[in-house]
Amino acid sequence: MKTRATLHGVRSLVWLLALALTAACTAEQPASPQVTLLETIPHDTSAFTQGLELVDGVLYEGTGLEGESTMRAVDPKTGQVRKKVDLPRELFGEGITVVGPRIWQITWRNGVAIERDRTTLAETRRVQYEGEGWGLCHDGSRLIMSDGSAKLAFRDAATFQETGSVQVTRDGKPVTELNELECVNNAVWANVWQTDDIVRIDPKTGNVTATFNLAALRPQATGKEDVLNGIAAIPGTDEFLVTGKNWPSIFRVRFTGVRQD
């Protein structure tokens, strides 16, 4: 069962020191055998990151928690929040994705998908759906959405209506708790909730084709809910931006030494 606690209190001095040190770190270095760390960028520690996507030089970020959920436009070079709008207090924000001039933002258990104007971030309409909302991405023709199970649902990018689905498996076993999603190069990349893993999925078959462990990037002094969550492909490169809930940094990385599954 997915549980999330509202965060309280001031971040520890360790986190503040970590932020200062990591913000200055730009040299390429191996984070692990599977991940090369290319750059460290500051990240707002009040952001309970649920969705992350880089489009036209703007990093769009959706955050969660009841009464704290937001939709943001962030400078990907500095981590500065350029624009932010709040969700109604009763809504728990989840995954986001850009579709042309619009942004879709889903909610956890509210059954509401919010369509936004990409320029202003203003809400333009709402669409109802059944079940939970976790991650969301756009593969160029359709939306792909996770709900905490091993299912990835395909949805119409204009109407949000479900058009099909696929079950995600690794070694023949279901992979559940698929969280934030990123669609790139005919694959779906997904955070696995409460782990340090990112999996790459073939959306045609549902098979996990690679698994990457990012434990080396986890900040010290993170709480139970402050898990890895947020994947944004950098267009025109083989690089990604990754972060976690309330993490002090966004990391620009390249995945190496792919473990094929």
Side-chain angles (χ1 to χ4, degrees), residues 75-138:
D75 186 328
K77 297 184 181 298
T78 66
Q80 181 179 0
V81 179
R82 295 175 176 172
K83 188 174 296 184
K84 181 177 75 170
V85 297
D86 296 330
L87 275 69
R89 294 191 61 82
E90 69 275 11
L91 297 184
F92 193 122
E94 283 280 351
I96 62 137
T97 196
V98 175
V99 182
R102 299 173 290 125
I103 299 173
W104 281 110
Q105 182 175 26
I106 56 177
T107 54
W108 182 23
R109 289 178 169 171
N110 305 103
V112 173
I114 301 171
E115 185 186 64
R116 298 185 178 279
D117 179 271
R118 182 176 147 196
T119 301
T120 65
L121 305 185
E123 180 178 331
T124 56
R125 65 169 170 150
R126 296 186 185 185
V127 176
Q128 301 287 325
Y129 59 83
E130 296 293 327
E132 295 187 3
W134 286 41
L136 188 69
C137 66
H138 182 237

Side-chain angles (χ1 to χ4, degrees), residues 97-100 102 104 137-144 153-161 163 183-184 186 203-204:
T97 196
V98 175
V99 182
R102 299 173 290 125
W104 281 110
C137 66
H138 182 237
D139 70 357
S141 61
R142 62 187 177 180
L143 301 172
I144 300 180
F154 306 130
R155 293 182 177 273
D156 185 277
T159 66
F160 212 79
Q161 295 303 303
T163 60
C183 292
V184 62
N186 301 313
K204 293 181 180 179

Side-chain angles (χ1 to χ4, degrees), residues 17-190:
L17 291 173
L19 176 58
L21 290 171
T22 55
C25 175
T26 58
E28 182 170 326
Q29 56 183 292
S32 76
Q34 291 187 298
V35 182
T36 299
L37 175 60
L38 304 174
E39 185 180 8
T40 304
I41 303 159
H43 181 237
D44 180 3
T45 56
S46 73
F48 194 79
T49 306
Q50 304 284 56
L52 203 66
E53 194 163 312
L54 180 63
V55 180
D56 295 336
V58 179
L59 184 62
Y60 296 96
E61 181 175 23
T63 73
L65 299 175
E66 290 181 358
E68 300 180 34
S69 297
T70 66
M71 180 68 229
R72 304 170 177 217
V74 178
D75 186 328
K77 297 184 181 298
T78 66
Q80 181 179 0
V81 179
R82 295 175 176 172
K83 188 174 296 184
K84 181 177 75 170
V85 297
D86 296 330
L87 275 69
R89 294 191 61 82
E90 69 275 11
L91 297 184
F92 193 122
E94 283 280 351
I96 62 137
T97 196
V98 175
V99 182
R102 299 173 290 125
I103 299 173
W104 281 110
Q105 182 175 26
I106 56 177
T107 54
W108 182 23
R109 289 178 169 171
N110 305 103
V112 173
I114 301 171
E115 185 186 64
R116 298 185 178 279
D117 179 271
R118 182 176 147 196
T119 301
T120 65
L121 305 185
E123 180 178 331
T124 56
R125 65 169 170 150
R126 296 186 185 185
V127 176
Q128 301 287 325
Y129 59 83
E130 296 293 327
E132 295 187 3
W134 286 41
L136 188 69
C137 66
H138 182 237
D139 70 357
S141 61
R142 62 187 177 180
L143 301 172
I144 300 180
M145 177 173 159
S146 60
D147 63 2
S149 70
K151 171 185 171 181
L152 290 180
F154 306 130
R155 293 182 177 273
D156 185 277
T159 66
F160 212 79
Q161 295 303 303
E162 186 170 338
T163 60
S165 65
V166 68
Q167 294 293 310
V168 177
T169 60
R170 178 169 47 196
D171 300 327
K173 299 179 181 179
V175 180
T176 62
E177 300 196 310
L178 301 169
N179 209 359
E180 215 271 302
L181 306 180
E182 178 78 354
C183 292
V184 62
N185 296 332
N186 301 313
V188 177
W189 297 65

